[in-house]
């Protein structure tokens, strides 16, 4: 049946043998390590967070207990091992009880962000052939029950909706699941099987689904723990959206749970929300995107809150310039760690004891000695160190294929299994990477990756839009913002606010709505001859910047 679509992530046999022999893949599973930690760290606090304004503190034993109850409840609904479940929850403790519950039941979470709307959620559900959806009742004034109704209508495979909140309406409330413990599997998943589907930044077109296995993902955060100094005494804050790969795995909440540390959930990434929690819970480490890190550095100078527990501030998701790095260090006074990672796998870190100049000037080096790095020119020829080119990689925690997407796979992987990251980097003689730019036309808006093509498609559907080109524009606060150049149909003059409203009504995440809209008569393509979209975007960007 179509719901039994194979979920595989295939490394060649010789690599599998090598990764096992080297001790990277140890045959651990998510369920296995949480169960172990529920014994080893039973009464220790696993999670501190807020649900509906009420503080919750769960021990490791409680987290496991809740996960088992949820697992038994989901299986009682008729869900079966291997089924995909779209999870869309904010930074609430239930994010983790649900995810570990899914793992315990042998179900496969698909991680959506709270900002996603029906267009994106339906796309994920279709691609994954999901049969269930878990969402919060409300998050930031949005009612996910309305989204659930549209989803069940648009994607008939989605037969179950589970709502976290008091009023599930016609759906099933998480706390009303009727557990049937007899259905819990007696064996844990195959460590080499796919554990979950992460969402790609969507550099071309719609987001792709990223299948990660137990073995590969657990290796990535176990090794990250060493590099980031995470121990059972650590207190790790999730300030970015919990479903993002960065706060999930670099070392993220998963690294912290693996170590037996405490995870503190900030309901929002603002200093107002996070600073009091850092003081109260004595947070030791957390990750931010560059615009937030700058905001925090500024706010820290005047805050009444004591932030002295903070040992490591990680910054990643977008380029942190050397000048910004200096401001972050000066403002927060803790160790800065640059993180250059991707949900597809490869993660680079500056090391905590690296010389200051390395921390300021580079985006770090790979986690693993087995990470293979190639920097190639336009023809795919490898460059010497010091050269600048396209970054390709393969290794023990980098995917070999996207889920259910042959076209993207043909584009994104070389014949010998290297992932084309789309990033343009310089590799130093000692193996550190400096991110210089990228080959693909997406917008990195404060760490959120937006596909120009995807936004153009939405705009082109508007009756008054003849043509649309979406580009990234450097932005003081966001790093990059989105600008849409629009050629209206003859005799029409759509207003910017209308086009933005149109985008929102199409049911897409708010961060994809263009920040700026410029109406033009033509794209004047003569100057660049037979233009590629890429050249056209570069030209429009240059024109706009020249006017400013
Ligand atoms: C420049 N560009 C960066 C950096 C990511 C840890 C940290 C981040 C992500 C992430 C992640 C960058 N400087 N320091 O998954 O585990 C851009 C690159 C990269 C893309 C991946 C993690 N850090 N980037 O951001 O899947 O262009 O993962 O290819 O969201 O973000 O985006 P994403």
């Amino acid at each position: 049946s179509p719901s039994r679509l194979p979920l595989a992530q295939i490394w060649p046999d010789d690599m599998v043998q090598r990764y096992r022999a080297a001790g990277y893949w140890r045959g651990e599973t998510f369920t296995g390590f949480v169960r172990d930690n529920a014994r080893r760290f039973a009464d220790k606090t696993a999670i501190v967070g807020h649900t509906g304004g009420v503080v919750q503190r769960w021990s490791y034993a409680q987290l496991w207990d809740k996960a088992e109850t949820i697992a038994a409840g989901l299986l009682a609904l008729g869900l079966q091992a291997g089924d995909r479940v779209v999870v869309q929850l904010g930074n609430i403790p239930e994010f983790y009880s649900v995810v570990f519950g899914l793992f315990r039941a042998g179900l496969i979470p698909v991680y959506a962000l709270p900002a996603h709307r029906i267009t994106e959620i339906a796309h994920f559900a279709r691609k994954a052939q999901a049969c269930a959806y878990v969402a919060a009742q409300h998050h930031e004034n949005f009612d996910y029950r309305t989204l659930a109704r549209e989803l069940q209508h648009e994607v008939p495979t989605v037969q179950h909706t589970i709502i976290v909140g008091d009023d599930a309406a016609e759906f099933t409330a998480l706390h009303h699941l009727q557990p049937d413990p007899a259905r819990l599997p007696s064996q844990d998943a195959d460590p080499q099987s796919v554990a979950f589907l992460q969402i790609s930044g969507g550099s071309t077109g719609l987001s792709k689904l990223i299948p990660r296995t137990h073995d590969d993902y657990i290796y990535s955060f176990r090794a990250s723990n060493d590099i980031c100094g995470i121990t059972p005494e650590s207190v790790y804050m999730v300030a970015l959206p919990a479903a993002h790969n960065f706060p999930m795995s670099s070392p993220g909440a998963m690294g912290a749970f693996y170590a037996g540390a405490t995870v503190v959930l900030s309901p929002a990434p603002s200093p107002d929300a996070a600073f009091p929690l850092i003081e109260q819970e004595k947070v030791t480490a957390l990750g931010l995107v560059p615009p937030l890190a700058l905001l925090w550095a500024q706010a820290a100078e005047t805050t009444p809150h004591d932030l002295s527990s903070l040992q490591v501030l990680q910054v990643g998701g977008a380029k942190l310039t050397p000048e910004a790095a200096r401001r972050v260090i000066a403002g927060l006074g803790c160790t800065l760690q640059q993180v250059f990672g991707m949900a597809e796998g490869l993660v680079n870190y500056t090391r905590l004891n690296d010389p200051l100049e390395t921390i300021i000037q580079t985006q770090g080096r790979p986690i693993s000695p087995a990470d293979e790095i190639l920097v190639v020119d336009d023809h795919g020829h490898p460059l010497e160190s010091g050269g600048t080119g396209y970054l390709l990689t393969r290794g023990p925690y980098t995917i070999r294929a996207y889920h259910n997407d042959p076209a993207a796979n043909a584009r994104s992987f070389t014949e010998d299994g290297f992932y084309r990251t789309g990033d343009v980097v310089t590799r130093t003689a000692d193996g550190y990477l400096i991110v210089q730019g990228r080959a693909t036309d997406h917008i990195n808006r404060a760490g959120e990756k937006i596909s120009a093509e995807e936004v153009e498609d939405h705009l082109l559907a508007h009756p008054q839009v003849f043509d649309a080109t979406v580009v990234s524009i450097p932005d003081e606060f966001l790093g990059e913002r989105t600008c849409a150049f629009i050629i209206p149909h003859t005799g029409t003059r759509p207003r910017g606010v209308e086009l933005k409203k149109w985008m929102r009504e199409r049911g897409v995440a708010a961060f994809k709505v263009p920040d700026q809209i410029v109406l033009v008569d033509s794209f004047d393509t003569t100057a660049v001859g037979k233009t590629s979209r890429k050249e056209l975007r570069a030209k429009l960007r240059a024109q706009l910047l020249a006017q400013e």
Side-chain angles (χ1 to χ4, degrees), residues 514-535:
D515 297 294
Q516 193 177 357
I517 291 182
V518 179
L519 296 189
V520 293
D521 295 334
S522 76
F523 291 147
D524 185 22
T525 48
T526 47
V528 271
K530 263 198 250 152
T531 41
S532 68
R533 294 306 281 188
K534 194 177 155 87
E535 284 172 285

Side-chain angles (χ1 to χ4, degrees), residues 201 244-246 249-250 315-319 339-344 347 363 421 423 435 442 444 447 449:
H244 251 271
N245 198 56
F246 179 14
S249 68
S250 299
V315 182
K319 170 94 175 199
V339 189
F340 164 38
M342 52 207 74
E344 284 83 353
V347 182
Q363 277 65 61
T421 66
D423 295 312
V435 181
H442 66 262
N444 189 335
K449 285 74 182 181

Side-chain angles (χ1 to χ4, degrees), residues 32-42 60-61 256-261:
F33 86 71
V34 180
R35 184 197 291 113
D36 287 351
N37 282 358
R39 290 197 202 105
R40 277 174 66 202
F41 301 102
Y60 272 90
F257 290 136
Y258 185 90

Side-chain angles (χ1 to χ4, degrees), residues 214-358:
H214 294 266
D215 259 340
D216 92 73
Y217 207 64
I218 291 174
Y219 169 50
S220 81
F221 57 75
R222 188 181 64 230
S224 293
N225 279 348
D226 288 339
I227 295 169
C228 308
I230 300 294
T231 69
E233 283 67 51
S234 299
V235 181
Y236 175 84
M237 173 178 269
V238 176
L240 298 169
H244 251 271
N245 198 56
F246 179 14
M248 185 170 308
S249 68
S250 299
M254 288 301 169
F257 290 136
Y258 185 90
T262 296
V263 171
V264 175
L265 289 161
S266 183
S270 61
D272 280 356
F275 285 9
L277 274 170
I278 293 176
E279 178 175 56
Q280 266 163 47
E281 306 298 332
K282 304 205 168 15
V283 170
T284 61
L286 66 101
L288 292 176
V289 292
L292 282 171
L294 287 169
L295 189 74
W296 281 43
Q298 199 179 34
E301 283 172 10
T302 52
T303 184
H305 294 289
D306 176 8
L307 307 179
S308 61
S309 59
L310 205 54
Q311 294 164 6
V312 179
L313 179 73
Q314 305 179 293
V315 182
K319 170 94 175 199
L320 185 70
T321 63
E323 183 47 37
R326 288 199 182 88
R327 270 157 61 192
V328 169
I329 293 169
L332 286 154
C334 58
T335 302
L336 169 69
Q337 180 171 53
Q338 293 216 39
V339 189
F340 164 38
M342 52 207 74
E344 284 83 353
L346 181 71
V347 182
N348 304 274
Y349 295 104
T350 56
R351 303 314 197 246
L352 300 180
N353 58 0
D354 272 340
L356 191 59
E357 277 310 291
T358 306

Side-chain angles (χ1 to χ4, degrees), residues 73-131:
L74 292 170
L75 293 170
L77 290 178
L79 299 182
Q80 291 180 32
D83 283 347
R84 274 76 64 198
V85 179
V86 177
V87 177
Q88 189 177 27
L89 297 171
N91 289 8
I92 54 175
E94 287 83 356
F95 180 90
Y96 302 105
S97 55
V98 165
V99 164
F100 285 120
L102 292 169
F103 290 142
R104 175 66 183 98
L107 300 164
I108 313 280
V110 183
Y111 296 130
L113 295 171
H116 286 136
R117 292 295 178 262
I118 181 62
T119 304
E120 289 107 354
I121 299 295
H123 169 68
F124 304 152
R126 271 191 214 105
K127 268 277 172 201
Q129 296 177 320
C131 55

